[in-house]
Structures are given as structure tokens and as C-alpha cells.
């Protein structure tokens, strides 16, 4: 398996990244090809598609050993199910799969053609192994069964932010920040309303607390 590209995103670490692709469409990132794969001919015709599949590596979850069962966040992190019944990063082969929106292809750059995507769930530097077009007539199955993932309804938190903190968020990033936080980035087993959590996004350190279904942004500070 050869790494063909890497993701350039505004998440330098795992915490805060949406748990699935397509949950936060305001997240934009780029796919930068490795030198050996910067041939525009390899992308000929891709601009006709609105969405693409990315096959990538859970590069921060590589382990020598593997477990046949894992604790999915959607089940509260307490119930074990088979690893192949989940999308857990802790797998025999740490391969991820994401469907993202292809916003545009920038053909002429110093690093060759660059793909601009939205709705990704990938950390900065994530290795990409393959790119395939998304085909609605074969890839979409609206009536498919979703197992436990379909029985646990997604909930969104109400995000509150003091005006003085809100003004520290660049206008172009506010929508994405609020969408990220509404997904509740906390580990599913942590429910302490007094605990302050933090993560880095778009060169900002964002700190917050959650009390029941309300998330309050405590501070937003630019990274030095």
C-alpha cells in the first residue's frame, strides 16, 4: 500500500474532530498529493463529481495488538460490540473510510493539483491511500439497516458563547466552531459539568464546559 496524499486540515490533534464525515459541512480541508502522484491526468474527470470517497489510515491509532471487541461512543463507551460491527479506529488494519464533498480542484499550485473538500473528519497529516468517486445510484441505500448506530439518535448540544468570547472567533470560522461543539466532542464517558475541556482548531485553543444539554464556550485564544 502506497500513501498517495496527505490531508491538510485545521485539526492538529484528534480531540474535537467530528466522529463521522459529513456531520460538519463547514469544515474545509485540502488533499495534497505526494510528489509521485502529482500528475493531473490521474484526476481527469474527477471535477464532474460532487462527492468522493477517501480511504485513509488511522495514523494515530496504530497498535501491535488488536481486540475483537471495542466500546463505541454511540453506546456510551461502556458496552462492547465486535470491532467489525463498528467504525472504531482500533482495528486489525487501521483503515478509515470517509465520504466528503469535493468543492473544487486547484490544478496549478507549487504542490501540483490540490483537492478542496468539505465535511471531513480527518486530522492534519492523515495519510490517504486512495480516492474514488461517490456514486449515488450505487452507494446510497436509504432503506439500509443501521444496527445499533441507527437506534441511538444523534443529539446536538445547545452552544452558548459570551459576546466577548464570540468576538475572538474569526467570522469565517464561527459556523464551523459552533457545529463542531454542537456534536459534543467530549469522550462519551465524561459527564462532569465542572470539567473544562479544550482542543485546538484553526490555530485557536477553544475551551468549554457542558452542563446537561448546554455547552458554554469559556475562552478562545489564538495559538502563539
Amino acid at each position: 500500500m502506497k500513501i498517495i496524499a496527505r490531508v491538510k486540515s485545521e485539526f492538529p490533534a484528534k480531540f474535537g474532530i467530528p466522529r463521522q464525515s459529513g456531520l460538519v459541512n463547514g469544515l474545509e480541508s485540502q488533499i495534497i498529493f505526494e510528489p509521485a502522484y502529482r500528475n493531473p491526468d490521474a484526476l481527469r474527470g474527477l471535477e464532474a463529481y460532487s462527492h468522493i470517497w477517501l480511504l485513509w489510515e488511522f495514523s494515530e491509532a496504530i497498535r501491535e495488538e488488536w481486540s475483537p471487541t471495542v466500546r463505541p461512543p454511540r453506546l456510551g463507551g461502556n458496552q462492547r460490540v465486535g470491532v467489525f460491527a463498528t467504525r472504531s479506529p482500533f482495528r486489525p488494519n487501521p483503515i478509515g473510510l470517509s465520504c466528503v464533498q469535493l468543492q473544487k480542484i486547484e490544478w496549478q499550485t507549487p504542490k501540483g493539483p490540490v483537492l478542496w473538500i468539505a465535511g471531513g473528519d480527518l486530522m492534519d497529516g492523515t495519510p490517504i491511500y486512495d480516492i474514488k468517486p461517490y456514486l449515488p445510484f450505487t452507494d446510497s441505500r436509504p432503506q439500509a439497516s443501521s444496527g445499533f448506530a441507527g437506534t441511538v439518535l444523534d443529539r446536538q448540544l445547545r452552544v452558548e458563547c459570551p459576546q466577548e468570547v464570540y468576538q475572538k472567533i474569526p467570522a469565517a470560522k464561527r459556523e464551523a466552531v459552533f457545529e463542531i461543539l454542537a456534536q459534543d466532542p467530549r469522550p462519551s464517558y465524561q459527564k462532569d459539568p465542572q470539567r473544562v475541556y479544550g482542543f485546538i482548531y484553526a490555530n485557536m485553543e477553544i475551551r468549554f464546559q457542558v452542563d446537561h444539554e448546554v455547552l458554554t464556550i469559556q475562552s478562545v485564544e489564538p495559538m502563539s
Side-chain angles (χ1 to χ4, degrees):
M1 297 284 285
K2 299 178 178 65
I3 296 172
I4 65 166
R6 292 185 183 272
V7 170
K8 181 181 179 183
S9 81
E10 296 184 290
F11 284 105
K14 294 184 293 183
F15 193 88
I17 297 177
R19 294 185 174 95
Q20 300 289 341
S21 60
L23 293 179
V24 180
N25 290 321
L27 290 181
E28 296 183 337
S29 51
Q30 296 87 47
I31 297 175
I32 311 296
F33 288 91
E34 296 291 284
Y37 302 99
R38 292 175 182 175
N39 189 332
D41 286 342
L43 301 173
R44 189 186 303 172
L46 188 63
E47 69 276 8
Y49 297 91
S50 65
H51 292 73
I52 54 176
W53 289 107
L54 303 178
L55 279 78
W56 49 277
E57 181 183 60
F58 288 105
S59 53
E60 297 298 306
I62 298 175
R63 297 179 174 181
E64 291 294 329
E65 304 294 331
W66 71 282
S67 171
T69 60
V70 295
R71 296 186 176 97
R74 291 181 74 98
L75 295 178
N78 299 315
Q79 183 178 336
R80 284 192 172 273
V81 298
V83 65
F84 298 132
T86 76
R87 296 189 176 187
S88 168
F90 305 109
R91 323 181 67 80
N93 293 306
I95 297 174
L97 176 69
S98 296
C99 180
V100 297
Q101 180 185 359
L102 177 60
Q103 295 180 304
K104 67 178 181 179
I105 302 176
E106 192 174 3
W107 295 98
Q108 303 288 334
T109 83
K111 295 184 177 180
V114 172
L115 306 185
W116 289 71
I117 61 173
D121 54 347
L122 305 168
M123 190 174 69
D124 188 52
T126 295
I128 302 293
Y129 285 123
D130 203 4
I131 297 168
K132 300 179 187 291
Y134 173 87
L135 305 177
F137 69 95
T138 60
D139 296 345
S140 177
R141 295 286 189 270
Q143 304 305 318
S145 173
S146 302
F148 71 84
T151 61
V152 182
L153 296 178
D154 283 322
R155 83 191 204 292
Q156 291 204 344
L157 301 178
R158 186 172 83 249
V159 180
E160 297 184 349
C161 183
Q163 186 63 25
E164 63 272 17
V165 177
Y166 181 82
Q167 295 298 329
K168 291 186 176 182
I169 307 172
K173 301 297 180 183
R174 287 171 185 164
E175 180 179 357
V177 167
F178 275 69
E179 288 183 357
I180 293 166
L181 293 171
Q183 298 293 327
D184 194 353
R186 298 175 301 167
S188 55
Y189 54 85
Q190 294 183 1
K191 303 295 183 183
D192 182 0
Q194 301 303 315
R195 179 165 181 170
V196 177
Y197 302 86
F199 67 98
I200 297 172
Y201 167 69
N203 215 31
M204 298 177 288
E205 184 178 19
I206 301 169
R207 301 180 68 82
F208 65 93
Q209 288 180 294
V210 180
D211 189 358
H212 293 90
E213 299 301 306
V214 179
L215 182 151
T216 304
I217 303 176
Q218 300 293 326
S219 65
V220 174
E221 299 295 337
M223 300 294 294
S224 57

